[in-house]
Amino acid sequence: LLHGPPGCGKTLLARALATESSAAFIPINGPELVTKWHGESEEKLRDVFARAQKAQPAIIFFAPKSTGIN
């Protein structure tokens, strides 16, 4: 769990960790998962974890808002 103000290197650290451990890096912006339709957010979250399972080992990085991590 990484915590800190914007711009302190959380994404960079997570990406470096994934590279050094030969793991897939899957960045997710919080707004990508949120929708107004019933059940759609849950489906998107299941898809993220299914993608991570196919790409094992994987690091899923959740960013709270759009930070240009893709």
Side-chain angles (χ1 to χ4, degrees), residues 6 13 30 33 36 38-39 42 45 51 62 65 68:
L13 181 61
L33 297 176
K36 64 180 180 178
H38 179 71
E42 292 83 356
L45 190 57
R51 198 167 78 197
F62 290 96
K65 60 183 178 183

Side-chain angles (χ1 to χ4, degrees), residues 11-64:
T11 304
L12 181 64
L13 181 61
R15 197 178 295 271
L17 179 64
T19 300
E20 289 298 314
S21 62
S22 299
F25 182 74
I26 303 172
I28 303 295
N29 288 317
E32 290 177 22
L33 297 176
V34 179
T35 66
K36 64 180 180 178
W37 304 108
H38 179 71
E40 193 172 305
S41 296
E42 292 83 356
E43 182 179 350
K44 287 183 174 188
L45 190 57
R46 280 191 298 273
D47 291 344
V48 168
F49 281 94
R51 198 167 78 197
Q53 188 173 20
K54 288 178 185 174
Q56 296 185 59
I59 293 175
I60 302 172
F61 185 80
F62 290 96

